[in-house]
Amino acid sequence: MDPRRYSRVIDPKVRQVGFCPRSGQVQNQSGPTGPSTSPPVSHISPSSNSLSPVMIPPPRHPSDAASRAVNVPATATTPLRPRRPSFDDPNNNSSSTEQLVVSSYNPDESVLGTSPPFSGIGDDRDGDAESEFSDNSVNWIRQNDSGRFPLSLAPDGRFDSAAAKEKQSKKPQVGSRKERGGGQTAEVRNDLPSESKPLKEKTSKAERRALQEAQRAVKAAAKAGGNKSKAASLSAHEQTNKAAKLPLQRKDDGPVTSSAAVSERRGGERPPEKDRKKDAPAPRMQFDDKNRVEKAKKRSVVKQTEARNRVELFRHLPQYEHGTQLPDLESKFFQLDPMHPSIYKVGLQYLAGDIRGGNARCVAMLQAFSEAIKDYSTPPEKTLTRDLTAKVNNFVSFLIECRPLSISMGNAIRFLKSRIAKLPITLSEAEAKSSLCSDIERFINEKIVIAEKVIVEHAVTKIQDGDVLLTYGSSAVVEMVILHAHKLGKQFRVVIVDSRPRFEGQALLRKLVKIGVSCTYTHINAVSYIMREVTRVFLGAASVFSNGTVYSRVGTACVAMVAHAFHVPVLVCCEAYKFHERVLLDSICSNELGDPDAISKVPGRMDINSLHDGTNKENLQLLNLMYDATPPDYISMIVTEYGMIPTTSVPVIVREYGREHLLI
Amino acid sequence: MDFQVVVLAGGFSKTLVPLVSKEVPKALLPVANRPVLSYVLELLEQNNLKDLIVVVESESAALLIGGWISSAYVDRLHVEVAAVPEEIGTAGALRAIDHHLTASDILVVSGDLVCDVPPGAVAATHRRHDAVVTTMLCSNPVSGSTESGSSGGKDKAKKHYNIIGLDPTKQFLLHVASGVEVEKDVRVQKSILREVGQMDIRADLMDAHMYAFKRSVLQEVLNQKEAFQSLRRDVLPYLVRSQLRSELLLNGVQSEENGNDKDASQNPKIVLSQLLANASTPSFHELHALGPNGFSLSPRKTHKCCVYIASKSNYCVRLNTIQAFSDINRDVIGDASHISGYSFSAQNNIIDPSAVLGSKTTVGPQCMLGEGSQMGDKCSVKKSVIGRHCRIGSNVKIVNSIVMNHVTIGDGCSIQGSVVCSNVQLLERVVLKDCQVGAGFVVTAGSEHKGESLAKKEK
């Protein structure tokens, strides 16, 4: 984590964030959070003001902390030293060394103060911002290549092995961090020239293909060799990763220095890992693979016509002629016997676009599953566990045909399946069913409803009188945050940035204006103008990946980037059940394509709809992308129900609480 | 899919006299030599709906229809035929079979519907919006070639209009008025108009009498409003009128949370439903339910009335007038031939192999000749349906007409735009134009009739 830690541009806001056992967190949730309730923070960093995002007090003893696999406060202090000297920015040098040591103080802090952003930062804006940007691109690369996620580029979800590697390589890093501290700067610097170039190439399709191929081979080999040849496979992985320009040195001492620790750890963890392997979905369908598409079509329920003229880079994503699916599915209403009506209804609503938004889709799906389970009865000579799992798989594949699943839904399905698999055999059918239903209800309640409440409690502390909040589109959580802040009597203004074609922000706007919040409504084209007056950016997320990438409605990345350029803190509100251990680097590998007509048609403007007539032209390709990936650099913090965390701490949540999904 | 299907087959309809008689109830009127009810049953069978309740007015009609169904669909469908008293109305019929209804939603189909719109589409729309009632609308049939096929004057005088108000998305029903009501002023409810903001008033749509009802609501309405007789005239307008001030106890979450505590933020169920409501594009119902400021503590009750509009390419007509009867017959063997289920010959007509044609007799395209029928020499048949076992003499001209079974037609007759029912005898040189001849009637030789309805006196 060290390389990622100090490279973070937005350090000041995240540096003190600790991650601590839940006992501390519970206390924090109950009381109002702020500097007064987190004394450890305020004494670590003299510069921290009420803006400190820390919700969770860091561990009491540094020694204790160091022994933990991942400990952010402890790591934050060490790696900063080597970096600063190389950073010949007058502003940074002017800051006191003491602050550097304890808290990685960065003059950008002033931007984040409660004072209007443009009053005091004129001087450091130029120099600092520039250096940040140049530094930024470097960080971005380095962080990707940190070797922790060697399979980061695999477009198909092969996180099982990625997760395994992650575990192996994480420990060694912690162990070797201190000894390497001094020489690291040089090493890293040396890597830079070679690293910064291939960024473009990485995203090219051919290379991804090649990488994927290589990984496939490696995986096969690893499987054949079993656990004994883990080391061998690791080195093989290195080979592949070298293709992806991964720095070598980290890998080399990884397995060697702490193989004992790793093996010890692995021994304890085998069963859950096995489970995970089982739960991991099969590699995602690549829709540019003609044979497989044909095969899939044969067994699909919904008749879909593949859209022609798809954009080259996005051929691997499904895109169908819009408007053919719904009537077809409707007419088959009575012919789909095995499908439970509630599942069917939800699928129909996905397809028609009646239900949108990650949470709503997930809740609707879970409720439908719950209904289906209630009406389920085990056929004779079959066991409930097996048969129900098959049923659920059926349902899921039907829902995927209606609309690709979101990450949060994938997590929820994983949860449900693991609950089914873990049902004791002694349970009678009725008991098993009721236990599953109550599990689902609890998942919805704990992971979504209560989580949102806690997030609102956390996020509201970041809104102060006189703030100007900016939000993009319409996120349910952000809306709740704003409503709650208004209820608390805070005086603030909201800027709602919206975009075509859905204009989701208008619904939010209507609600806010109704209750009397002063609002500004603009489109994303004007975001660079409006950002000058903004003091906070609140965003929602469809998913957060373990490298800190936030996957959200298309346009979010743009807003976050502009906010970053203007030194406005970006807060992403996201429930922890949307976190995923996969790593996402670009918006290409996994995304969703919407109806291309939506962007080519402008309702009510006959004069400029000439584009629409040419939809079927050979040389016209319309791209209606649904999501984009916001790099972690642009995000100041992520507000989850476990506290406010920096993007670097996402893997911790995934690791520490990810399993809890399966075990609650 | 938790749907129950009720087919309202009617009884001896008065508007279709003299076509219907004691022997032939409305549901058994032949359309291209098949009872009209078979079109509905086959449509349902195609859509995998095999458990049906067929409701018939009057015992005698029920016996006839039940007998026919059990012979034709013996092991294909599971049909329950229920007889209800006459003149009870569609709503009354449903009230009478109340205790049979168990599924969560009821699909009510009129037995005189000839269409190829999948009922699943209606059901799916119903489910998608969680509606109280969903009705299928189809574009008004163009009463084609009125001059040639015009029927008795009495139902022509009363022009059948439907005024239907839709919301801009064409998913919700805001206003219905039909038939005689239209003669007066059209009154549109202000409250609905205010909420929706915009209403499309359409006169080119027809209620196809295929409804999906929520069972609990249907039963509640039928039990509370004893006076309601017809689904179309009473129940549907009532539901549409009251959609924003619903007095119905909708089952499920909504009613619970209405009655529950006021502390909305404490109840996870409410939070959850708000969450779902937020994410979906709210219909005006939800907006209204939330009240003017979006946060009313006790949400107003609403229910949704949805429509499914069949596309223009679909065929969808009801057999409720004599005009419609001849139109449907012509269409089923003509433009909408895919419904009939017959395979057409190269000349685009259907002549049963057992039919016997005399020399120089021509049967044009879009014609149908049933089994065992015999035709003499020099006959000509155009755009007509001729039933089974008819005996037709020489020099007979049949144009745009329907001749049912066991009809005897003497030499030199000319039949144009007419309906000749079963067992009719036309003696020599009869000229019929735009006539209906009731079953068993004997038309004297050499008589000429134009635009008349001939039938035996009922004893």
Side-chain angles (χ1 to χ4, degrees):
Chain A
M1 57 238 43
D2 30 344
R4 318 180 53 179
R5 245 351 267 155
Y6 69 72
S7 65
R8 191 78 15 199
V9 177
I10 321 162
D11 269 350
K13 273 163 282 132
V14 296
R15 68 188 179 274
Q16 301 133 340
V17 175
F19 200 73
C20 76
R22 252 165 304 157
S23 57
Q25 177 208 350
V26 169
Q27 290 167 3
N28 260 316
Q29 286 173 4
S30 57
T33 48
S36 57
T37 52
S38 53
V41 175
S42 51
H43 95 104
I44 282 181
S45 154
S47 67
S48 83
N49 50 14
S50 59
L51 245 186
S52 158
V54 178
M55 303 302 302
I56 305 162
R60 305 282 184 268
H61 306 293
S63 61
D64 184 0
S67 68
R68 287 177 62 88
V70 171
N71 190 299
V72 181
T75 59
T77 55
T78 34
L80 273 162
R81 242 172 299 185
R83 177 185 163 223
R84 287 295 168 186
S86 69
F87 207 137
D88 45 8
D89 182 344
N91 284 320
N92 276 328
N93 288 340
S94 70
S95 49
S96 76
T97 45
E98 184 194 70
Q99 279 170 333
L100 270 179
V101 171
V102 288
S103 65
S104 78
Y105 178 78
N106 188 316
D108 288 355
E109 185 85 9
S110 61
V111 181
L112 312 168
T114 49
S115 58
F118 278 86
S119 54
I121 49 151
D123 52 342
D124 63 21
R125 163 70 49 86
D126 296 330
D128 203 39
E130 236 168 71
S131 66
E132 264 175 22
F133 276 134
S134 58
D135 190 43
N136 204 2
S137 58
V138 167
N139 293 334
W140 179 210
I141 299 151
R142 196 190 310 146
Q143 171 207 333
N144 299 338
D145 296 339
S146 66
R148 226 185 303 162
F149 308 102
L151 299 183
S152 57
L153 283 176
D156 51 354
R158 201 170 300 156
F159 21 74
D160 45 349
S161 55
K165 295 287 131 37
E166 184 187 337
K167 272 197 193 98
Q168 287 194 333
S169 52
K170 202 166 281 171
K171 260 260 159 106
Q173 278 182 26
V174 176
S176 59
R177 183 186 57 229
K178 274 172 191 153
E179 51 219 62
R180 241 190 294 132
Q184 204 170 31
T185 322
E187 284 172 11
V188 171
R189 289 278 162 211
N190 286 343
D191 286 342
L192 290 183
S194 62
E195 280 176 14
S196 53
K197 215 179 165 189
L199 182 64
K200 269 261 165 65
E201 286 169 21
K202 255 186 236 168
T203 56
S204 92
K205 213 169 110 188
E207 192 154 319
R208 262 183 291 131
R209 216 4 109 58
L211 185 64
Q212 201 181 331
E213 221 73 334
Q215 283 162 353
R216 214 167 269 166
V218 166
K219 198 179 177 190
K223 228 176 227 168
N227 253 353
K228 271 186 290 171
S229 63
K230 207 74 196 186
S233 77
L234 235 186
S235 66
H237 263 296
E238 271 166 41
Q239 303 272 319
T240 30
N241 293 334
K242 227 185 279 176
K245 305 291 193 289
L246 277 171
L248 264 175
Q249 80 277 12
R250 223 154 287 155
K251 279 304 213 37
D252 286 341
D253 55 14
V256 178
T257 50
S258 58
S259 57
V262 167
S263 65
E264 172 193 286
R265 230 190 127 134
R266 289 187 58 77
E269 270 178 9
R270 198 157 296 161
E273 215 164 297
K274 248 187 193 163
D275 274 347
R276 193 176 300 181
K277 218 165 226 167
K278 225 190 302 168
D279 292 335
R284 214 159 348 130
M285 173 108 160
Q286 300 289 302
F287 280 81
D288 45 357
D289 186 343
K290 283 230 176 73
N291 292 335
R292 299 192 54 190
V293 168
E294 283 303 313
K295 256 184 218 166
K297 234 182 221 169
K298 268 177 210 157
R299 46 168 203 269
S300 71
V301 174
V302 188
K303 204 179 90 206
Q304 293 163 325
T305 327
E306 292 264 333
R308 286 163 299 155
N309 286 354
R310 280 180 292 169
V311 177
E312 177 68 34
L313 206 52
F314 293 93
R315 290 255 163 96
H316 60 285
L317 299 174
Q319 184 170 26
Y320 303 110
E321 293 280 2
H322 213 76
T324 57
Q325 294 162 283
L326 191 58
D328 183 66
L329 187 62
E330 277 182 341
S331 62
K332 277 192 191 152
F333 186 77
F334 291 112
Q335 283 149 7
L336 297 172
D337 259 340
M339 214 53 69
H340 190 270
S342 57
I343 303 281
Y344 187 90
K345 179 182 166 186
V346 169
L348 210 58
Q349 285 173 331
Y350 287 169
L351 193 57
D354 287 351
I355 301 185
R356 290 176 196 157
N359 279 341
R361 276 167 71 198
C362 189
V363 169
M365 180 190 72
L366 284 175
Q367 283 176 340
F369 280 157
S370 169
E371 288 292 309
I373 288 173
K374 265 179 210 160
D375 293 347
Y376 169 83
S377 63
T378 321
E381 298 179 21
K382 280 191 179 165
T383 56
L384 179 132
T385 319
R386 297 244 176 127
D387 191 57
L388 194 55
T389 312
K391 267 259 161 65
V392 169
N393 282 338
N394 250 352
F395 294 159
V396 170
S397 60
F398 169 73
L399 293 180
I400 290 177
E401 278 169 38
C402 293
R403 192 181 158 182
L405 295 187
S406 67
I407 299 292
S408 53
M409 290 159 78
N411 280 344
I413 291 166
R414 255 214 282 181
F415 159 78
L416 178 63
K417 281 196 196 166
S418 80
R419 294 306 302 176
I420 295 174
K422 289 204 176 93
L423 282 175
I425 306 171
T426 51
L427 244 51
S428 74
E429 190 181 302
E431 283 170 335
K433 273 158 58 178
S434 69
S435 125
L436 285 177
C437 287
S438 70
D439 278 338
I440 290 177
E441 198 174 311
R442 208 168 55 225
F443 184 91
I444 295 176
N445 208 5
E446 283 178 12
K447 297 290 172 192
I448 302 176
V449 176
I450 294 180
E452 275 184 348
K453 259 188 231 167
V454 177
I455 288 174
V456 168
E457 293 287 325
H458 285 195
V460 122
T461 62
K462 293 288 155 242
I463 301 179
Q464 277 140 7
D465 284 351
D467 263 349
V468 180
L469 314 178
L470 183 142
T471 182
Y472 175 68
S474 169
S475 155
V477 192
V478 172
E479 181 190 321
M480 287 164 78
V481 169
I482 294 172
L483 293 183
H484 191 63
H486 181 77
K487 212 188 263 174
L488 293 181
K490 300 199 175 182
Q491 298 298 315
F492 59 91
R493 219 150 60 73
V494 179
V495 178
I496 297 173
V497 178
D498 208 352
S499 72
R500 288 203 68 225
R502 286 207 172 151
F503 301 116
E504 288 151 319
Q506 292 186 353
L508 175 64
L509 181 72
R510 187 166 46 218
K511 277 176 210 157
L512 294 186
V513 168
K514 256 183 193 165
I515 61 162
V517 178
S518 134
C519 292
T520 306
Y521 178 79
T522 183
H523 278 193
I524 196 162
N525 327 25
V527 71
S528 63
Y529 164 75
I530 204 82
M531 196 59 84
R532 285 171 203 283
E533 48 192 77
V534 172
T535 57
R536 295 273 186 291
V537 174
F538 279 89
L539 297 173
S543 178
V544 176
F545 291 91
S546 63
N547 61 339
T549 304
V550 170
Y551 183 68
S552 190
R553 165 74 60 230
V554 67
T556 306
C558 170
V559 172
M561 194 161 64
V562 174
H564 177 248
F566 281 88
H567 301 271
V568 179
V570 177
L571 291 87
V572 173
C573 301
C574 182
E575 300 86 348
Y577 85 103
K578 291 178 178 171
F579 285 20
H580 201 279
E581 56 203 355
R582 196 190 302 164
V583 165
L584 193 73
L585 298 183
D586 53 37
S587 328
I588 301 169
C589 291
S590 91
N591 212 319
E592 201 181 320
L593 297 177
D595 177 17
D597 281 353
I599 53 169
S600 67
K601 253 193 235 167
V602 184
R605 287 288 303 275
M606 294 309 284
D607 48 332
I608 54 169
N609 273 347
S610 53
L611 188 60
H612 184 60
D613 306 328
T615 322
N616 286 327
K617 272 184 196 146
E618 279 298 307
N619 53 355
L620 172 64
Q621 297 163 343
L622 295 167
L623 176 64
N624 181 9
L625 215 51
M626 300 281 271
Y627 295 98
D628 65 8
T630 310
D633 307 68
Y634 303 139
I635 291 156
S636 315
M637 68 171 154
I638 298 174
V639 187
T640 75
E641 65 261 39
Y642 297 121
M644 304 200 205
I645 56 162
T647 50
T648 42
S649 296
V650 173
V652 185
I653 299 263
V654 171
R655 192 188 63 224
E656 296 293 322
Y657 293 96
R659 200 164 308 127
E660 194 207 20
H661 282 306
L662 310 177
L663 295 179
I664 53 167
Chain B
M1 281 298 175
D2 211 9
F3 258 90
Q4 232 174 346
V5 184
V6 177
V7 179
L8 299 176
F12 303 104
S13 160
K14 281 206 178 110
T15 54
L16 288 172
V17 170
L19 302 188
V20 296
S21 59
K22 283 272 176 254
E23 289 77 42
V24 185
K26 180 181 166 188
L28 295 183
L29 280 177
V31 171
N33 289 342
R34 267 166 55 193
V36 63
L37 188 59
S38 71
Y39 290 89
V40 169
L41 296 185
E42 247 148 64
L43 178 74
L44 295 171
E45 191 192 8
Q46 268 173 31
N47 283 282
N48 207 13
L49 290 165
K50 298 195 170 152
D51 291 311
L52 315 174
I53 302 175
V54 175
V55 184
V56 187
E57 282 185 1
S58 89
E59 291 284 347
S60 56
L63 277 178
L64 287 168
I65 292 173
W68 168 74
I69 288 176
S70 56
S71 67
Y73 293 97
V74 60
D75 47 359
R76 288 157 68 192
L77 292 174
H78 179 255
V79 180
E80 224 176 300
V81 179
V84 295
E86 278 181 85
E87 300 301 322
I88 196 175
T90 44
L94 283 179
R95 204 177 282 136
I97 58 153
D98 194 17
H99 54 282
H100 286 292
L101 305 177
T102 49
S104 72
D105 293 279
I106 312 289
L107 191 70
V108 180
V109 187
S110 174
D112 57 6
L113 188 66
V114 178
C115 81
D116 57 355
V117 182
V122 179
T125 312
H126 185 70
R127 276 283 161 80
R128 201 182 113 200
H129 292 291
D130 202 16
V132 158
V133 59
T134 303
T135 172
M136 183 168 90
L137 302 178
C138 54
S139 35
N140 263 335
V142 214
S143 293
S145 54
T146 334
E147 311 90 283
S148 61
S150 69
S151 52
K154 68 179 169 190
D155 52 51
K156 237 185 147 186
K158 189 175 71 182
K159 275 205 173 169
H160 213 72
Y161 279 123
N162 279 301
I163 299 289
I164 285 164
L166 301 173
D167 79 314
T169 59
K170 304 208 179 355
Q171 289 176 324
F172 300 107
L173 194 57
L174 307 179
H175 183 76
V176 270
S178 59
V180 198
E181 289 172 56
V182 182
E183 306 297 323
K184 296 179 262 168
D185 306 334
V186 176
R187 290 189 178 197
V188 177
Q189 228 178 331
K190 217 156 121 199
S191 62
I192 294 180
L193 195 57
R194 196 188 306 126
E195 284 304 319
V196 188
Q198 191 184 337
M199 187 191 289
D200 290 6
I201 301 269
R202 305 271 297 256
D204 59 337
L205 292 174
M206 183 193 86
D207 189 337
H209 274 228
M210 189 192 281
Y211 306 106
F213 282 103
K214 192 166 269 189
R215 177 185 55 91
S216 56
V217 170
L218 180 66
Q219 287 180 334
E220 195 184 325
V221 171
L222 292 178
N223 290 335
Q224 280 179 0
K225 314 277 176 181
E226 298 283 345
F228 281 3
Q229 281 231 323
S230 155
L231 287 180
R232 181 173 61 87
R233 282 196 304 276
D234 300 323
V235 176
L236 186 64
Y238 168 75
L239 288 174
V240 170
R241 265 200 321 271
S242 63
Q243 58 184 316
L244 289 184
R245 42 180 177 80
S246 173
E247 291 157 7
L248 309 167
L249 275 171
L250 294 177
N251 53 347
V253 195
Q254 205 176 342
S255 58
E256 267 175 51
E257 78 189 38
N258 286 347
N260 260 352
D261 52 343
K262 284 169 188 159
D263 204 353
S265 58
Q266 291 304 310
N267 191 338
K269 244 186 193 157
I270 294 185
V271 176
L272 210 60
S273 65
Q274 275 179 354
L275 189 92
L276 283 173
N278 279 347
S280 53
T281 18
S283 73
F284 63 92
H285 298 98
E286 279 125 23
L287 292 178
H288 180 79
L290 287 173
N293 52 8
F295 290 100
S296 112
L297 284 177
S298 53
R300 285 179 258 188
K301 290 188 198 174
T302 57
H303 59 247
K304 293 183 189 170
C305 303
C306 293
V307 290
Y308 174 81
I309 301 179
S311 72
K312 286 237 161 66
S313 59
N314 283 325
Y315 185 79
C316 183
V317 185
R318 286 189 62 209
L319 197 167
N320 48 5
T321 57
I322 294 171
Q323 172 72 53
F325 176 72
S326 31
D327 284 347
I328 290 173
N329 265 298
R330 197 173 43 244
D331 289 339
V332 163
I333 56 168
D335 300 335
S337 53
H338 59 281
I339 298 179
S340 66
Y342 296 109
S343 54
F344 285 77
S345 72
Q347 285 81 37
N348 200 16
N349 55 18
I350 308 156
I351 299 174
D352 197 90
S354 60
V356 181
L357 298 180
S359 64
K360 289 192 184 170
T361 289
T362 55
V363 179
Q366 305 188 356
C367 283
M368 185 170 185
L369 198 54
E371 63 182 46
S373 288
Q374 298 170 359
M375 295 185 80
D377 303 338
K378 291 184 188 169
C379 293
S380 119
V381 181
K382 284 177 194 161
K383 291 192 174 181
S384 298
V385 180
I386 296 171
R388 299 182 192 90
H389 306 290
C390 293
R391 277 196 304 256
I392 298 173
S394 308
N395 269 326
V396 176
K397 257 188 169 178
I398 302 175
V399 180
N400 263 330
S401 298
I402 296 135
V403 177
M404 296 186 195
N405 306 331
H406 303 287
V407 175
T408 312
I409 299 178
D411 296 346
C413 286
S414 159
I415 302 167
Q416 236 188 65
S418 300
V419 180
V420 180
C421 292
S422 303
N423 301 320
V424 168
Q425 282 189 25
L426 301 184
L427 302 179
E428 285 89 42
R429 297 179 309 284
V430 171
V431 177
L432 294 178
K433 198 171 179 222
D434 304 335
C435 290
Q436 296 90 40
V437 185
F441 195 78
V442 181
V443 183
T444 48
S447 56
E448 281 190 33
H449 297 277
K450 198 173 174 187
E452 281 176 63
S453 168
L454 311 166
K456 277 200 283 191
K457 287 273 183 299
E458 296 276 335
K459 281 149 201 165

